[in-house]
Amino acid sequence: IVEDGLPLGTTANGINPAFTPDGRRVLFMADAPCPWGCIYPKDIQQVDLDQPAALPRTVFASSRLGLAAFDLSADGGQVAILNDPSGYNDFSLKIGDLTTGQLRDIPTGTLSLQQSRPRFSPDGREVLVQVLCVSSSGSCGWVVPLDGSPARRVSTEPALAWSPDGSRLLIAASSDSRLFSVRASDGLDPRDLATAPGRVLSADWRR
């Protein structure tokens, strides 16, 4: 971790780093003990940049769930966790509260979640996930409301990111490397954005 060219601290084998909104902490996935077979031996750990000499602190441990990927909410208070405790691609979605350390299950019905980073909506009320498309055996973009409302499909292609205002979603076409956006509410009104020189697996939509 470097600021203005000066090292603030170091960590080994950290992936998926995410700054908190105040820029004072970094969350990341780090190697952890492997109690059941080394499928997802990762913890979510946190580095306090005000105390760079301090060791990273585990905030959610892999002994409680098989951590496959996570996302930090815009307000820095929650993490959306894709987990697979069985190690057999049987993914589920959890929300973790960084203040209390509590985890709660988010029902996804019969949806077959796929290995990908879940993405919080800007307002923190919904999470974008990838789900197995029965028709194509690829990934479809779905939005899961956190208030218990039914999940909705927004694309028959992978949906990668929210627009800054949460009104639209970035979609990556698997057939022709085309990037376009759709309305987050219903997946309609497609608008072309760009083409990429290959398959797009991850993206962010910044202001």
Side-chain angles (χ1 to χ4, degrees), residues 110-127:
T110 60
L111 298 180
S112 180
L113 301 182
Q114 299 295 287
Q115 168 75 69
S116 66
R117 180 181 172 187
R119 304 301 294 264
F120 269 110
S121 61
D123 62 10
R125 296 179 180 178
E126 298 180 313
V127 175

Side-chain angles (χ1 to χ4, degrees), residues 41-155:
K42 303 290 182 185
D43 291 339
I44 296 179
Q45 296 188 355
Q46 176 179 288
V47 172
D48 185 345
L49 299 184
D50 291 334
Q51 302 179 26
L55 292 175
R57 178 174 66 88
T58 297
V59 290
F60 294 104
S62 62
S63 59
R64 298 169 60 187
L65 65 166
L67 293 169
F70 82 95
D71 190 40
L72 181 65
S73 62
D75 65 5
Q78 300 184 99
V79 289
I81 298 171
L82 186 76
N83 74 297
D84 177 21
S86 72
Y88 292 98
N89 296 326
D90 184 18
F91 298 108
S92 62
L93 182 64
K94 292 181 181 288
I95 298 296
D97 188 305
L98 285 172
T99 300
T100 65
Q102 297 297 309
L103 289 165
R104 61 187 176 104
D105 294 311
I106 303 301
T108 55
T110 60
L111 298 180
S112 180
L113 301 182
Q114 299 295 287
Q115 168 75 69
S116 66
R117 180 181 172 187
R119 304 301 294 264
F120 269 110
S121 61
D123 62 10
R125 296 179 180 178
E126 298 180 313
V127 175
L128 176 65
V129 296
Q130 308 308 316
V131 173
L132 177 66
C133 287
V134 177
S135 58
S136 66
S137 297
S139 293
C140 291
W142 282 69
V143 170
V144 180
L146 301 184
D147 63 2
S149 301
R152 63 184 185 275
R153 190 179 73 177
V154 291
S155 175

Side-chain angles (χ1 to χ4, degrees), residues 184-202:
S185 59
D186 55 16
L188 301 178
D189 187 26
R191 300 179 186 177
D192 287 337
L193 297 175
T195 57
R199 185 182 178 192
V200 179
L201 300 177
S202 180

